[in-house]
Amino acid sequence: MSNTSFGSPDSLEGDHVNQPDFEFSDYLIFDDWLDENPTSMPTTQNPVYPTIEVDDFGGSSTSHHQVVLTRDHGSGSLKKDLGEKVAFKTKSEVEILDDGFRWRKYGKKMVKNSPNPRNYYRCSVQNCPVKKRVERDREDPRYVITTYEGIHNHLSPSNI
DNA sequence: CGGATTTGACCTGCGC
DNA sequence: GCGCAGGTCAAATCCG
C-alpha cells in the first residue's frame, strides 16, 4: 500500500510521517480525566467537546487533539455498546498513526456526510474486541478523526 | 508461507 | 413496506 496521495510538501516534520515515538496510551488518560470530572461528563443531551492541545508529541511536532468522549450508555439504548467510545480529532497527514497497537483494516466505506472514505479497523489481537474508525474531517482534510470503540483486553502489543 | 490489505457484496437498522 | 446509509464479511491479491 503505497498510497501517498497525501504526501503534501507541507510536511510537518519533513521526514517522519509516522510518529514512531509517542505512546497512544497517553490518549487513554483522557478517559480517566473524564472520570474524575463527572460534572463534565458528556451526555446525549449535553455533549461536551473538550479540546486538548498536545504540543509535545515526540518533542518534534505540534499536534492539536480534540477529544470527544461519547458515553452512549443510555438506559433506553437498544444498541449494545462494547464499552467506551472515544473520538479523536488529530492533525495528521496520514490516517495510519502508530498508536502502539496493530490494526487490521476490514472495510472501507464512502459516507454521505463527507467526500472522504471512512476506514474500519479491528485490533489484530484475537481476544481484543476493540474497533477503530478513521475518517478525514469534512472541512479540514488535514485533520483525521479517529473513533475508538471498546477496551483492549491486552496491556500492549508487546505483551501479545 | 503467513499475515495484512483491498474491494465489492451482503446485512441490518432507521426514517419516511 | 421501501429505500438509504452505515457497518461487516469474505475471497482474492500483494508484500515481507
Side-chain angles (χ1 to χ4, degrees):
Chain A
M1 183 176 74
S2 57
N3 188 352
T4 54
S5 55
F6 277 96
S8 58
D10 184 45
S11 300
L12 292 172
E13 303 172 75
D15 292 305
H16 304 278
V17 287
N18 297 311
Q19 285 86 353
D21 290 316
F22 76 74
E23 295 275 343
F24 205 76
S25 27
D26 288 341
Y27 290 167
L28 301 180
I29 293 174
F30 297 149
D31 187 53
D32 292 328
W33 160 81
L34 177 71
D35 222 34
E36 294 178 18
N37 293 272
T39 52
S40 301
M41 188 75 77
T43 65
T44 50
Q45 306 270 316
N46 298 301
V48 175
Y49 305 98
T51 300
I52 296 176
E53 296 183 19
V54 182
D55 59 352
D56 195 33
F57 262 122
S60 57
S61 63
T62 301
S63 302
H64 295 259
H65 302 264
Q66 182 176 58
V67 186
V68 181
L69 295 166
T70 306
R71 286 276 183 101
D72 193 8
H73 203 68
S75 51
S77 181
L78 298 176
K79 293 180 180 179
K80 47 179 177 179
D81 51 295
L82 294 169
E84 301 303 303
K85 194 170 172 185
V86 189
F88 299 101
K89 187 176 176 181
T90 308
K91 184 177 182 181
S92 176
E93 299 176 20
V94 294
E95 40 202 79
I96 314 294
L97 295 175
D98 184 12
D99 55 7
F101 292 97
R102 189 174 296 282
W103 301 94
R104 184 179 111 258
K105 181 186 284 189
Y106 68 89
K108 185 174 72 173
K109 192 78 176 184
M110 289 296 244
V111 288
K112 215 58 188 263
N113 234 351
S114 170
N116 305 310
R118 176 179 294 171
N119 296 298
Y120 299 91
Y121 299 87
R122 292 186 70 174
C123 189
S124 293
V125 181
Q126 197 171 38
N127 302 352
C128 202
V130 180
K131 284 182 287 189
K132 178 175 152 186
R133 195 180 316 153
V134 179
E135 66 178 300
R136 292 206 166 267
D137 191 289
R138 181 165 102 71
E139 311 216 344
D140 289 293
R142 297 175 292 263
Y143 286 84
V144 176
I145 301 173
T146 305
T147 305
Y148 286 85
E149 209 171 308
I151 303 172
H152 290 280
N153 280 337
H154 48 102
L155 297 176
S156 68
S158 304
N159 196 32
I160 300 173

